[in-house]
Structure formats: structure tokens, C-alpha cells
Amino acid sequence: MKFQLSAALVGLAATVVSAQDIQSGPFTLHIKGTKSNTEIDGYAVSCHAGAAIEGLCYAEGVAVPSNSITYYFNYTGYNQVGDDQVGSLIWNEPYTDENGNPASVEQEMGLVYQPNSNVAAPLFGFSQDIFSVGFDSEGELFGYDYYDDAKFVAGQPPTDYTPKAYYQWAVCWQYFTGYYYQSVAWVQNGAPHNPTCEPVVITKVDI
Ligand SMILES: *[C@@H]1O[C@H](CO)[C@@H](O)[C@H](O)[C@H]1NC(C)=O
């Protein structure tokens, strides 16, 4: 009962405050490999992955400002890990409106999972399945969760709902929505099932 109540409250809070998001940005996302011999040093770029769907691809080198590498962060102020806000990563999808003028629409980042892998691919689209993320005091992007099923006990609902930051980013060759890209990945737990993955840190660079 306690769990159901708190879950209902979280849902209610999300509904009530969604119209009052606070937005930060724009920024680019620097991607750096963490292995000692890594060659990964570049930035994130939105890459075509279907009609109005983009992946979060990896590009080598130094970012040249453009819309495809510019991101924003929306948060409500009601959810934090320590002092760090939790919210969603946003990219502006450009399109041509009915009068032929350039327009754009905000897309929030979600994750696409594969049944036989522990590696998920971030995707910007119109899914309601948003991946909650945040930036710590060093500007490092983290993934958010508030319970840990490794601590579950049969028949006893969890009691610890402490918000936590997880750093499980990688750059991998990934296949999603019919495209094969070297792109940002979220390794759900343990060693990545995909052998092309390299662990990375992703840091926000204000522009
Ligand atoms: C992000 O926040 C801004 C500022 O409140 C708001 O205008 C925009 O609609 C929000 N975007 C999304 C996708 O919620």
C-alpha cells in the first residue's frame, strides 16, 4: 500500500508540474572514453533514425556549433539527487511548417531496450518513455533511479527510495530502428553484452 501511494503521488506530481518545467541550456555534450588507451574523444550529435526519430550518435573531434549538436535540459525542481536536478534531455527537431517556414519541436530523450541485451540506445522521438537524467556539479550526465532490485526481498516491498545517480554510459556500435551507428549507449548493469562498447563520461559544455 505504501508503495502504491508513493507511486501515485510521483505520478500526480509529474502531471501537475509538467507545465512548469524549468529549462537550462543550450549546451553541447562532450564524450570522453575512460579506458586508458581510449581513442574516444568527441561529442554527441543527433542522427537520423526514422521519421522524426533521432539517435544520439558519437562524432569524433571538436564540435562546430549547429542545431544537431545543441541540447537542453528540462526539470521540474521536484526531483533531485542530492543538490542535482533530475529531468529530461531535449533536442529541437527542425521541420518545415504548413506555411513552408522553418519550425522546430522539442523531443525528450528515451531509451530503446533490446530483449537479448543489457545495452539500451537513447532515442529522441515522441515516446512517453522518458529517461530521467541529470547533471552533477562537474557537469557530468547521469542516469537516475530510486530503487535497486538487487536489494529486493521476496514478499517485502522495498523501503529505500533514495534517489541515486548512475554513470553507465558507453559508446557502442548499435542497431536500432533499422540503422547501425556508433552512438551513445546506456549499459543497464554489469559488463556490456555488446562487445563494441567502450565506457565514456558525458559532460555538458555550455554554449
Ligand atoms: C521545457 O521547458 C520549457 C520552459 O518551461 C517549456 O517551454 C517546454 O515546453 C518544455 N519542454 C518539454 C518537452 O517539456
Side-chain angles (χ1 to χ4, degrees):
M1 211 29 144
K2 198 171 167 198
F3 169 74
Q4 282 170 2
L5 183 62
S6 58
L9 286 176
V10 168
L12 187 65
T15 317
V16 171
V17 297
S18 62
Q20 304 159 11
D21 276 5
I22 302 156
Q23 187 168 79
S24 71
F27 49 82
T28 60
L29 294 168
H30 177 221
I31 301 176
K32 183 93 176 71
T34 55
K35 292 208 313 208
S36 57
N37 60 345
T38 186
E39 288 181 0
I40 292 188
D41 190 357
Y43 55 93
V45 54
S46 298
C47 47
H48 181 81
I53 303 172
E54 279 71 32
L56 189 61
C57 282
Y58 165 74
E60 212 169 64
V62 178
V64 179
S66 76
N67 180 64
S68 62
I69 63 166
T70 302
Y71 299 94
Y72 297 84
F73 176 62
N74 267 32
Y75 59 96
T76 60
Y78 285 80
N79 199 5
Q80 287 107 5
V81 176
D83 291 334
D84 304 321
Q85 300 293 342
V86 172
S88 61
L89 194 64
I90 287 180
W91 182 66
N92 282 329
E93 155 93 38
Y95 70 99
T96 304
D97 72 13
E98 64 271 26
N99 301 317
N101 298 317
S104 69
V105 58
E106 291 188 348
Q107 293 184 315
E108 294 175 276
M109 189 179 78
L111 284 181
V112 236
Y113 299 93
Q114 273 192 92
N116 71 336
S117 181
N118 63 349
V119 179
L123 218 59
F124 294 95
F126 296 104
S127 156
Q128 291 303 301
D129 199 7
I130 305 306
F131 185 27
S132 293
V133 296
F135 292 98
D136 67 17
S137 58
E138 313 278 290
E140 264 189 50
L141 184 64
F142 61 80
Y144 159 86
D145 211 342
Y146 61 93
Y147 61 86
D148 182 355
D149 69 357
K151 304 209 169 74
F152 281 9
V153 177
Q156 290 178 25
T159 51
D160 181 5
Y161 297 106
T162 313
K164 292 202 179 67
Y166 295 91
Y167 299 83
Q168 292 164 209
W169 303 108
V171 161
C172 320
W173 282 92
Q174 294 184 100
Y175 181 79
F176 48 83
T177 59
Y179 295 81
Y180 189 58
Y181 287 128
Q182 191 179 24
S183 55
V184 171
W186 179 257
V187 182
Q188 281 182 269
N189 239 311
H193 187 253
N194 174 338
T196 70
C197 290
E198 270 203 50
V200 299
V201 292
I202 302 179
T203 312
K204 154 170 101 101
V205 180
D206 289 324
I207 49 179

